[in-house]
Amino acid sequence: MGYLNKREQIYKLDRVGRMDRRITIIEKVISVGDSNEDYLNSWTEFTTVWARKEDLRGKEIVIADKPTFMYLTAWSIRKVTGLKANMRIVYKGQVYEIVQISEGEGRESFQDLITNILDNELWS
């Protein structure tokens, strides 16, 4: 088993120390209907982790000929096994959809998530 050198240990502690937000990751609860169709019943808690939040620039895009504003936020977390892009993040009751998951710095110890806020959804 390898040990981290002093510089890597300091970097890892510094990165973890900046994770000052408690977020909940939620996943879909899907059931199969009578004609073998999938139905989204609800969302359930997958896990709760510490995260670092960084607000990114907003941008306006066109979806179905309708201008839509995207407000992007980046989250850095310790690696969560089983995390998928169809899950969502909840922070202070506000729901964020995960747009992208990428490997963060630190030898696969961290993950960086890019999210878009969902203005019309709240979680309690």
Side-chain angles (χ1 to χ4, degrees):
M1 198 182 283
Y3 292 95
L4 298 175
N5 66 35
K6 190 71 169 171
R7 176 181 279 171
E8 288 172 330
Q9 287 176 345
I10 291 170
Y11 174 77
K12 190 171 183 178
L13 287 174
D14 179 50
R15 185 169 174 115
V16 170
R18 290 182 281 155
M19 294 182 183
D20 59 352
R21 315 289 171 102
R22 197 77 170 145
I23 63 170
T24 301
I25 300 171
I26 58 176
E27 64 181 337
K28 294 177 186 179
V29 175
I30 298 176
S31 63
V32 179
D34 296 338
S35 59
N36 213 14
E37 296 179 50
D38 289 341
Y39 293 102
L40 172 62
N41 287 343
S42 62
W43 292 85
T44 186
E45 185 175 327
F46 178 71
T47 189
T48 301
V49 296
W50 287 100
R52 181 184 63 162
K53 179 183 179 194
E54 181 182 346
D55 292 320
L56 304 175
R57 60 175 166 45
K59 65 180 182 179
E60 191 172 317
I61 61 172
V62 178
I63 299 176
D65 294 329
K66 179 182 172 190
T68 304
F69 188 76
M70 291 185 70
Y71 184 73
L72 301 176
T73 303
W75 304 88
S76 295
I77 62 172
R78 285 184 181 259
K79 185 172 182 166
V80 174
T81 305
L83 184 65
K84 300 175 196 140
N86 64 353
M87 294 179 175
R88 294 183 176 176
I89 290 176
V90 178
Y91 175 64
K92 291 187 176 181
Q94 184 63 58
V95 180
Y96 298 78
E97 67 179 336
I98 298 175
V99 177
Q100 176 185 342
I101 301 173
S102 60
E103 179 183 322
E105 299 174 14
R107 298 185 183 212
E108 299 183 14
S109 298
F110 300 96
Q111 290 175 310
D112 293 326
L113 313 174
I114 305 296
T115 61
N116 179 39
I117 195 165
L118 298 173
D119 288 332
N120 56 348
E121 291 193 34
L122 297 175
W123 176 272
S124 53

